[in-house]
Amino acid sequence: EDKDWNQLTKDMETLQEEWKTIGFASKKENQKIYDRFRAACDKFYNAKRDYYSNFKKVMQDNLDKKIALCEQAEALKDSQDWKKTTDQLIGLQKKWKEIGPVARKQSDIVWKRFRAACDSFFENKSKFFSTVEESYEDNLKKKLSLIDEINAYKPDSKPAENLEALKDFQSRWNEIGYVPLKEKERVQSAYRHAVDLKFSDIKSSENETKLVRFRKHIKERQESSKACLSLLLFLCPLLM
């Protein structure tokens, strides 16, 4: 690691300073000993240079990978495909954590860029669903108000007037959008109860009319079948 090399460099510098304080060896051995010491020093500094050369390359590769993630996040930040994009951004965030360090002067810049893109999307998502929740609450108020109106309705003596009122209530109900999911069953049940209470006669009449139509349809089909059978019986001797 970087801190290890810093400590080793200090140790090497201490040894070099100490070397300078030691007097000369014999003329025959002096150059040989110096060459050995210098070779050790050169080996250390060459290894250090190789390490930092490779380390800079690795950090540049990491920076390139993080910039690529920034670009991907920025391409998604205005998306309104909330579920799919949320999953994609979470995936990008996981990849970000798996990438190693970058140069210190670049680290904060690239992180702020990536985070800004993610934050932009999630803030838009939050605002959207906040607005949706508000609209659902408004729809709930409208439906409860309509139920109160149905409960307050006084049936007319003319069935036709009551039928028109029922159609109007049904149409207005269908035009109102979604309500909060937790309120859906309760408000739907209250609506059905109000309609059944005020327009039971009309609904019974409608059901009876539907039953009459169904019976008439069955009867017509039976009569049509009998007619076909009679015609077939009449034609059989002629065909033989």
Side-chain angles (χ1 to χ4, degrees):
E1 292 184 3
D2 188 54
K3 63 181 181 180
D4 295 331
W5 281 105
N6 288 337
Q7 183 58 51
L8 289 172
T9 300
K10 289 179 181 179
D11 293 341
M12 179 60 73
E13 290 171 351
T14 299
L15 289 175
Q16 289 173 333
E17 289 299 321
E18 186 177 349
W19 177 272
K20 294 176 183 179
T21 64
I22 301 173
F24 292 101
S26 65
K27 190 173 182 181
K28 180 181 178 181
E29 299 293 333
N30 193 67
Q31 188 63 41
K32 188 186 296 185
I33 294 173
Y34 175 73
D35 289 343
R36 180 181 175 185
F37 180 71
R38 180 166 182 177
C41 292
D42 289 345
K43 184 176 181 180
F44 169 79
Y45 286 112
N46 287 337
K48 179 182 176 181
R49 184 182 64 250
D50 291 343
Y51 169 81
Y52 277 105
S53 177
N54 183 65
F55 185 65
K56 287 179 181 179
K57 181 180 181 302
V58 170
M59 288 200 295
Q60 183 59 50
D61 289 343
N62 291 340
L63 178 60
D64 292 341
K65 290 176 182 178
K66 288 190 172 183
I67 289 175
L69 292 184
C70 287
E71 292 171 350
Q72 292 177 56
E74 286 164 352
L76 294 170
K77 71 183 182 69
D78 295 323
S79 171
Q80 293 187 344
D81 189 345
W82 308 116
K83 178 64 173 69
K84 180 180 178 181
T85 306
T86 295
D87 292 341
Q88 288 175 316
L89 285 175
I90 290 174
L92 293 182
Q93 290 171 342
K94 288 180 179 178
K95 288 181 180 179
W96 183 279
K97 293 178 180 179
E98 293 169 358
I99 299 173
V102 301
R104 190 173 300 172
K105 63 181 180 180
Q106 296 289 340
S107 180
D108 195 45
I109 295 173
V110 73
W111 165 243
K112 285 181 178 179
R113 179 181 173 184
F114 179 70
R115 183 172 178 176
C118 293
D119 287 349
S120 178
F121 168 78
F122 286 111
E123 285 171 7
N124 289 339
K125 179 182 176 181
S126 179
K127 288 177 183 176
F128 173 81
F129 282 103
S130 175
T131 302
V132 168
E133 282 298 320
E134 288 178 7
S135 69
Y136 283 6
E137 290 293 338
D138 288 341
N139 291 339
L140 177 61
K141 291 177 182 177
K142 290 177 183 177
K143 287 194 171 184
L144 291 175
S145 177
L146 184 57
I147 291 171
D148 289 340
E149 191 176 336
I150 296 172
N151 285 326
Y153 177 76
K154 294 181 180 179
D156 196 282
S157 58
K158 300 176 182 178
E161 294 293 331
N162 293 327
L163 180 59
E164 286 302 313
L166 175 60
K167 288 181 179 178
D168 178 64
F169 286 135
Q170 290 174 330
S171 175
R172 288 162 60 192
W173 179 269
N174 291 331
E175 288 173 359
I176 301 173
Y178 294 113
V179 301
L181 187 61
K182 63 182 180 180
E183 299 287 353
K184 181 180 177 181
E185 288 298 326
R186 181 179 73 84
V187 76
Q188 187 68 30
S189 177
Y191 169 73
R192 286 196 299 265
H193 177 74
V195 169
D196 289 344
L197 187 65
K198 294 293 180 177
F199 301 99
S200 57
D201 292 343
I202 293 177
K203 295 189 75 176
S204 297
S205 177
E206 284 183 338
N207 291 336
E208 187 176 343
T209 301
K210 289 179 182 178
L211 182 60
V212 169
R213 288 176 182 172
F214 177 72
R215 286 174 176 171
K216 182 180 179 182
H217 175 70
I218 295 297
K219 184 177 181 181
E220 288 175 350
R221 291 192 62 179
Q222 289 175 340
E223 290 176 351
S224 176
S225 298
K226 288 179 180 178
C228 289
L229 181 60
S230 298
L231 178 60
L232 182 61
L233 292 173
F234 173 76
L235 290 175
C236 278
L238 299 178
L239 297 173
M240 293 176 65

